[in-house]
Amino acid sequence: LFPPPPQDNTDPQKTAFLLRKQWTLYSVTPLYGFSNAHLKHYARLLSAFIAAEKQKGLAVEVGVELDIKVAVSSIPDLKGSDRDQDAILVQLSLRPPASPKNSEEKLVWSGCFCSVSGDHLSENLPEDFTCLPLFLANGAESYTSIVGSWFQKTFDCCFRRLAISPLNLSWMAAMWTGCQVDKTTSAMELIFSVPCLPYPLDISYAIHPEDAKALWDTVQKTPGEITQEEVDVFMDCLYSHFHRHFKIHLSATKLVKVSTAIASAHCDGIIKFLQSKYLAGVLMLLTELAISQIQ
Amino acid sequence: HITTSLPLPSERDHLRPRIDMIVFMIDIKSKYSLKNVEASLAHVDASFFLGKVCFLVTGVGRVNYCSVEMNAIWKLGEVYCSPVLFCELELEGIRVATAQRLLRMLQICAGHIPGVSALSFGTLMRRSAED
């Protein structure tokens, strides 16, 4: 079953930064001793930590001495319900040391902790814990690593890459196909990785979005609700169609990536949001996956 | 004897020894393997389902490669009254332990263990809540 998407009271401007960028996903265990009131303090601590790491020789930018500025802010708009904690955004910007104070800062890394309808994780936890199980990172892996270490040390939490199984990807394919999109959109694309071969082989299956939606509309019985059975039937139809033409059983391969007009998701835990209208819905699903991975 | 699907080719019927147990292998990473097993089950004589059939689910070590829904597998075990075993073929220890289990089950199915018949596997299937 698929619950209705959270209320759309959010200001799309505040969450627009999430769109059309590639985000690497992590699940994060609850943070101990974190407080929304100390964000500026955390930014200073993190800044000092990064500078210290650079001194140690773990420089993220080889050669050039650049000044990294840290900003930590909260995004109250990014949540599913009032029971969710406010989302937290961490941004790292670079400013060349020679330039004046007001010169252009270049945003090099963003990290966002959020929870969209993830309140069931926090149900039995003591007050000192902040639940923001989903973490999205955009930018160099080296920065992700440094920021992650600082959070892990400071708030006694644990980050893990969020993997998305083929089963979950099929759900996304079915769910997102059913979404209404205003203008003509890109094709729905599924990418499969073929196992047991001495060389890597990927199969890309592109389907016209209207055909995909027409198929899903015949499968889905109740609008707003999706069952595992319906997802299976939808995927089986796509697989049979492919088999009829190419004599290949896609069901024996591993679904690794799903791309639709709403979003694209890769099994290694990489997501790209394409429509602000469905942003909350996708985040809710990802929050759910993050929570499953934690538990 | 290993085969990729049932029914077995009839040409070799006279050469085949008696079949005491059938293990259906389902790879959790392949939806195709589940469909294949479901199709093959239709070709099995009903008498086998009195303890001489079991399902072996492989690939369970990596949850994130899951293409088959666990409920579908549980349902299969229930519908055909047969035990469901789990195994990760890539780990030698588990592989060996599973092979030993299957061998033991086979000995019982073939009637080599006095006092224990394949029918007793059916009692293991019943969940205690039902009693």
Side-chain angles (χ1 to χ4, degrees), chain B residues 2 5 8 21 24-25 33 42 54 57 60 64 71-72 78 83 91 103 106 122:
Chain B
I2 298 179
S5 70
L8 295 172
M21 183 170 98
F24 287 97
M25 294 180 65
S33 73
C54 91
V57 183
V60 293
N64 294 316
N71 279 340
E78 259 177 53
L91 297 173
L103 199 54
L106 178 57

Side-chain angles (χ1 to χ4, degrees), chain A residues 7-20:
Chain A
Q7 282 212 310
D8 229 352
N9 301 329
T10 62
D11 175 9
Q13 289 288 5
K14 298 268 170 60
T15 54
F17 73 94
L18 285 168
L19 296 176
R20 286 175 289 279

Side-chain angles (χ1 to χ4, degrees), chain A residues 163-167 228 232 236 249 251-252 254, chain B residues 29-32 35 63-69:
Chain A
I164 307 178
S165 70
L167 213 53
Q228 179 64 54
D232 287 342
D236 285 344
H249 288 284
S251 52
K254 181 188 175 200
Chain B
K29 306 192 295 291
S30 164
K31 192 102 189 274
Y32 177 71
K35 291 254 173 288
V63 174
N64 294 316
Y65 279 56
C66 203
S67 290
V68 176
E69 221 233 336

Side-chain angles (χ1 to χ4, degrees), chain A residues 97-117:
Chain A
S99 55
K101 272 284 181 186
N102 315 339
S103 70
E104 278 275 314
E105 277 168 8
K106 188 176 151 225
L107 179 66
V108 290
W109 186 92
S110 304
C112 180
F113 293 88
C114 70
S115 173
V116 180
S117 302

Side-chain angles (χ1 to χ4, degrees), chain B residues 45-118:
Chain B
D45 187 76
S47 61
F48 275 94
F49 296 108
L50 294 169
K52 298 194 178 184
V53 167
C54 91
F55 296 102
L56 179 64
V57 183
T58 65
V60 293
R62 302 203 195 171
V63 174
N64 294 316
Y65 279 56
C66 203
S67 290
V68 176
E69 221 233 336
M70 276 313 300
N71 279 340
I73 296 179
W74 292 129
K75 200 158 156 237
L76 208 59
E78 259 177 53
V79 166
Y80 289 96
C81 304
S82 301
V84 180
L85 302 181
F86 295 90
C87 164
E88 177 49 79
L89 292 174
E90 287 176 34
L91 297 173
E92 198 190 329
I94 298 180
R95 205 168 60 225
V96 168
T98 306
Q100 286 169 339
R101 266 179 101 176
L102 289 174
L103 199 54
R104 196 73 181 146
M105 285 170 73
L106 178 57
Q107 284 174 323
I108 295 172
C109 290
H112 290 189
I113 313 287
V116 187
S117 91

